[in-house]
Amino acid sequence: MVASRDDTKRMDIQALKLALQNHARYVRRERGGDRLNLSHKNVESVRFDKMDLSDAELVGLRACNASFAGTMLTRANLFGADLTGVNLRDANMTRADLRGARFTRANLEGADLTDSDLREGTIMRQSSEGGLSYIDNGDQATRFDNASMRHSNLEKVRMNRANGSGTDLFQANLKGARLAGCDFTGADLSGALLDGADLTDANLSRVNLRGAELIGVVLDGACLEGVDLTAARFNKTELMAAKSTEGAIMPRSAADLGISIDELMRRHKDWMMTGGAKGEQAVFRGVDLTGFMHRGIELSAAEFTDCILASANFEDGIFSMANFSGAMLVNAVLSQTDLRGAKFECSNLSGAVMCEADLSAMPIAGGGGRTWPSNFRGANLTRSDLSRANLSHCDFTGAVLKGADLSASLVVGTSFLEADLNGADLSGVDLSSCDLRGARGVAAALDTMEKKAG
């Protein structure tokens, strides 16, 4: 794409306001409306928060350190735009043209880029004499190196050969994404959803993939040197297609415990009954226990950190004060289970069934009335079932509860600080004593409840 000249002068603020007003009329299909065209304009440090800029022409836009928080940018053309350090938190960029754009050090937390185009692209500058030269020395790759893309939705994006080194993609959705040849060196993809993604020839060296889902992923020729796959779910046959897995950290098997699981659980029971005088604590740290079936078992204070418990069944069990931090609990069954004071920090509980579970705070023996609350900080509870559960005083700070069923649950003093409750069912829930600061989706959920009641 060719730009006629390099306009380095910042756009006149009055002209910008008029253009935005005309675009608002365009979006509403009102008379006098005109589609926004800021191609090759300089709007550095300008705030566009929560505006509707759908279908806008923003080719080669210079918007360093600008803010588009919560902005609608669906189908917008941002080909070759410079968005270095820009704030795009919770922005909607579905089906946007982002080829060759630069998102270095940008904030894209919670942004939706579903089906957007992040492939290569470059703009050439035409001088007044007619000569052509590449902007950025012809670097065609889309860049989001060292950007924050936590909880972002990148499902089905086209991102071939993009540069995402050092990027924070914690719990990002990359299902079905085309990521062939991408450079993710040193990136954080812990808890990310990569099912069905194409990572052919991608560089994943030293990437954090703890707790990530990689079912059906294509890894032909990919470099996985030093990658951390602790608590990750993947098929070993697909991993074998990678060019190198040297130094990769893999999940442990039950055989690595050096003791049978039944014997370990028996010793744990002795340890609990004698206050630690006999037996030993059950420690399953980092072990793959997919499909573990033990309904009604008692494993209070057991250690399940970074354990793979996908589709496990612990219904009617007792796991008070157990530690499930970083564990993979996708589709696990924990209904009617005693989980008082349990720790699920940064665990993956998507699709888990915890209906009627007791997740209230655990009284501390001899603590003068003090309690130990259950901890779900940073956990993924997408589409989980928490209906009729006791969630009193639980800490859901930064947790993702998209589409979760919390109907008729008890939430006295519960913290949903910065939590994502979009699409959650809160029918029959009294949120009056909860900490909802920074929580997303609450207003929509309450509005849905009012409509149902009406």
Side-chain angles (χ1 to χ4, degrees):
M1 189 170 289
V2 179
S4 59
R5 62 191 179 91
D6 183 23
D7 188 356
T8 57
K9 185 178 179 181
R10 186 173 175 180
M11 188 174 182
D12 177 73
I13 195 65
Q14 294 303 320
L16 178 59
K17 285 182 178 179
L18 179 61
L20 291 170
Q21 290 169 2
N22 290 338
H23 185 75
R25 295 191 188 96
Y26 168 82
V27 171
R28 295 192 298 264
R29 299 183 180 180
E30 295 176 355
R31 180 178 296 180
D34 192 17
R35 184 180 179 186
L36 183 67
N37 189 339
L38 298 180
S39 295
H40 309 293
K41 300 296 183 182
N42 186 335
V43 293
E44 294 180 359
S45 303
V46 176
R47 298 181 69 90
F48 298 89
D49 298 347
K50 297 183 179 180
M51 292 184 181
D52 190 343
L53 303 182
S54 302
D55 301 300
E57 280 292 325
L58 307 170
V59 175
L61 181 73
R62 295 186 58 177
C64 296
N65 301 313
S67 182
F68 293 85
T71 300
M72 289 288 292
L73 287 159
T74 54
R75 300 176 303 278
N77 188 355
L78 284 149
F79 185 102
D82 187 354
L83 300 163
T84 302
V86 75
N87 181 12
L88 283 154
R89 184 183 175 93
D90 296 324
N92 188 334
M93 291 182 280
T94 55
R95 301 188 300 282
D97 187 346
L98 304 170
R99 287 174 296 167
R102 295 180 296 284
F103 295 96
T104 301
R105 299 186 305 281
N107 180 0
L108 292 122
E109 292 185 21
D112 190 350
L113 289 83
T114 303
D115 205 25
S116 59
D117 193 345
L118 286 141
R119 292 175 298 171
E120 296 172 306
T122 189
I123 296 175
M124 299 186 73
R125 180 192 298 117
Q126 185 175 36
S127 66
S128 56
E129 292 79 22
L132 294 175
S133 61
Y134 283 108
I135 293 177
D136 290 335
N137 299 315
D139 183 6
Q140 299 180 34
T142 300
R143 303 186 65 95
F144 50 97
D145 46 312
N146 297 303
S148 178
M149 303 181 78
R150 298 168 69 87
H151 305 298
S152 59
N153 189 351
L154 295 153
E155 190 168 359
K156 297 180 180 178
V157 298
R158 300 174 297 286
M159 199 189 286
N160 298 6
R161 289 181 289 279
N163 185 341
S165 58
T167 300
D168 185 352
L169 286 151
F170 174 70
Q171 291 184 356
N173 181 2
L174 289 144
K175 285 185 176 181
R178 301 180 202 170
L179 309 169
C182 286
D183 183 1
F184 288 109
T185 305
D188 183 359
L189 281 153
S190 55
L193 306 180
L194 287 150
D195 294 343
D198 182 1
L199 283 155
T200 301
D201 296 325
N203 188 349
L204 298 166
S205 57
R206 303 190 310 281
V207 168
N208 182 358
L209 282 165
R210 296 170 70 92
E213 295 191 57
L214 297 139
I215 303 300
V217 70
V218 179
L219 291 165
D220 296 358
C223 178
L224 276 72
E225 293 180 2
V227 69
D228 189 349
L229 287 160
T230 302
R233 199 161 64 128
F234 56 90
N235 294 324
K236 291 181 179 179
T237 53
E238 292 165 353
L239 206 66
M240 290 172 63
K243 179 175 64 176
S244 173
T245 58
E246 184 180 352
I249 302 172
M250 301 291 184
R252 297 196 299 158
S253 68
D256 294 324
L257 290 170
I259 182 175
S260 72
I261 292 176
D262 288 339
E263 176 63 16
L264 186 57
M265 291 191 294
R266 188 192 66 76
R267 293 186 184 183
H268 183 80
K269 185 177 180 180
D270 290 343
W271 181 74
M272 288 293 298
M273 292 182 68
T274 63
K278 295 180 179 180
E280 62 180 299
Q281 181 189 22
V283 178
F284 299 96
R285 188 180 292 111
V287 176
D288 187 349
L289 296 172
T290 300
F292 196 48
M293 305 288 283
H294 271 283
R295 294 181 59 181
I297 195 170
E298 182 175 355
L299 280 170
S300 295
E303 179 65 63
F304 292 97
T305 300
D306 296 328
C307 194
I308 301 177
L309 290 160
S311 301
N313 191 331
F314 293 139
E315 187 175 5
D316 296 318
I318 300 176
F319 291 84
S320 56
M321 300 298 289
N323 189 356
F324 294 93
S325 296
M328 167 70 72
L329 287 148
V330 173
N331 299 324
V333 179
L334 294 156
S335 53
Q336 299 177 329
T337 302
D338 183 351
L339 291 160
R340 290 174 297 162
K343 190 174 183 180
F344 292 92
E345 191 167 5
C346 293
S347 60
N348 188 343
L349 288 146
S350 59
V353 180
M354 306 172 78
C355 56
E356 299 183 39
D358 188 354
L359 286 150
S360 59
M362 182 72 177
I364 299 174
R370 289 183 300 161
T371 58
W372 189 273
S374 296
N375 183 350
F376 288 88
R377 295 174 71 93
N380 181 3
L381 292 128
T382 302
R383 298 182 306 281
S384 61
D385 184 356
L386 292 158
S387 60
R388 303 180 304 283
N390 187 347
L391 308 176
S392 297
H393 303 290
C394 279
D395 186 356
F396 287 100
T397 299
V400 178
L401 291 141
K402 288 182 178 180
D405 184 357
L406 283 81
S407 60
S409 61
L410 187 62
V411 291
V412 177
T414 304
S415 174
F416 292 104
L417 182 69
E418 297 289 340
D420 189 343
L421 289 154
N422 280 297
D425 185 351
L426 296 170
S427 55
V429 179
D430 183 1
L431 296 166
S432 59
S433 65
C434 297
D435 187 349
L436 299 169
R437 290 175 296 167
R440 289 167 283 176
V442 178
L446 293 176
D447 184 55
T448 301
M449 288 166 55
E450 289 179 5
K451 288 180 180 178
K452 286 181 179 180

